[in-house]
Amino acid sequence: MKTLAIIGAGDLGQQIAHFALSDQQYKKVVFFDDFSIKKSVNSIPVIGKTADIEKAFVLKQFDELLIGIGYKHLDVKKHLFERLENKIPFGKLIHSTAWVDSTAIIESGSVIYPGCVIDARVIIKKNSVLNISCSIAHDTTIGKHTFLSPRVAVAGFVTIEELCFLGINSTVIDNINIINNTQIGAGSLVVKSIVKCGLYIGNPLRFIR
């Protein structure tokens, strides 16, 4: 089995590490973190900073990479992915309790948490995170570097562009387009397309800033 490297030893990185090991998808996990002063986190070694990743890969210290940086830093997450994409193989973590239709496509760098449901002809683009129990209906596309919080429900024929964040328990009805760099607050209901990026909350949904 392979060794997984995760950028970010914070809460999200620790969750991804836990799933990778407990679900027996990787034999070992290591962290890279620019801010941690610890040598290990939860018994997982921190072997360097992001500047050390390429050298560590050449030295065969890991096989695949994922980015465990949270939704408040999606631009950083995108920058790191694009910087390393053609140099380091990115992994893909799909928890064994998730149901993924055989026609769905989940691209590299993405993490699918326990209990997610991904329906027919769904596309989850690169470097995205679907947290616990998200439900994505048929023919929907989730854009690159996007973060869906627990229990987000997205109906069919929806397109969510890159660098979006959907808060816990938010819902998107069918045939909706959401422009890039959009944030949707917890519990919100999206009933029409969003063409201006920003922060939206509520039911009915309203633009905040």
Side-chain angles (χ1 to χ4, degrees):
M1 292 178 72
K2 297 177 179 179
T3 296
L4 173 67
I6 299 174
I7 300 176
D11 292 335
L12 183 67
Q14 291 172 42
Q15 283 185 334
I16 294 170
H18 170 70
F19 292 139
L21 295 172
S22 64
D23 209 37
Q24 299 182 348
Q25 298 198 29
Y26 289 89
K27 180 180 181 180
K28 182 181 177 183
V29 175
V30 297
F31 286 126
F32 291 93
D33 194 294
D34 287 342
F35 304 102
S36 177
I37 59 174
K38 299 178 180 180
K39 296 295 185 182
S40 67
V41 176
N42 292 340
S43 301
I44 295 172
V46 180
I47 65 170
K49 300 185 182 301
T50 53
D52 303 315
I53 291 173
E54 292 175 58
K55 181 179 178 181
F57 180 69
V58 171
L59 294 174
K60 301 186 183 301
Q61 292 181 280
F62 69 93
D63 301 293
E64 294 179 343
L65 184 65
L66 286 172
I67 301 177
I69 295 175
Y71 65 89
K72 293 182 179 179
H73 305 285
L74 293 181
D75 286 330
V76 175
K77 184 177 166 76
K78 175 183 178 180
H79 170 75
L80 286 167
F81 186 86
E82 292 180 343
R83 192 187 97 197
L84 296 166
E85 182 181 12
N86 296 320
K87 301 175 182 178
I88 308 291
F90 274 81
K92 187 190 315 183
L93 184 60
I94 304 170
H95 197 271
S96 61
T97 63
W99 182 83
V100 180
D101 188 85
S102 62
T103 61
I105 297 171
I106 299 175
E107 296 184 349
S108 61
S110 292
V111 178
I112 310 299
Y113 273 53
C116 289
V117 175
I118 300 176
D119 202 356
R121 297 175 299 281
V122 166
I123 300 173
I124 310 295
K125 290 191 172 284
K126 297 177 181 180
N127 197 31
S128 289
V129 172
L130 274 62
N131 214 301
I132 292 171
S133 297
C134 288
S135 177
I136 313 299
H138 61 91
D139 301 285
T140 283
T141 298
I142 307 297
K144 297 178 184 177
H145 325 295
T146 286
F147 191 105
L148 273 56
S149 300
R151 296 189 302 276
V152 167
V154 181
F157 300 107
V158 169
T159 298
I160 298 173
E161 296 184 9
E162 69 173 43
L163 293 164
C164 289
F165 166 73
L166 276 67
I168 189 169
N169 283 330
S170 55
T171 300
V172 183
I173 72 163
D174 58 294
N175 293 284
I176 293 289
N177 294 329
I178 298 177
I179 197 170
N180 58 286
N181 289 283
T182 295
Q183 296 176 294
I184 305 295
S188 297
L189 175 62
V190 184
V191 297
K192 61 182 180 181
S193 291
I194 295 176
V195 297
K196 177 183 178 182
C197 64
L199 171 63
Y200 294 79
I201 65 170
N203 179 9
L205 197 72
R206 64 188 186 277
F207 177 78
I208 300 298
R209 62 178 183 269

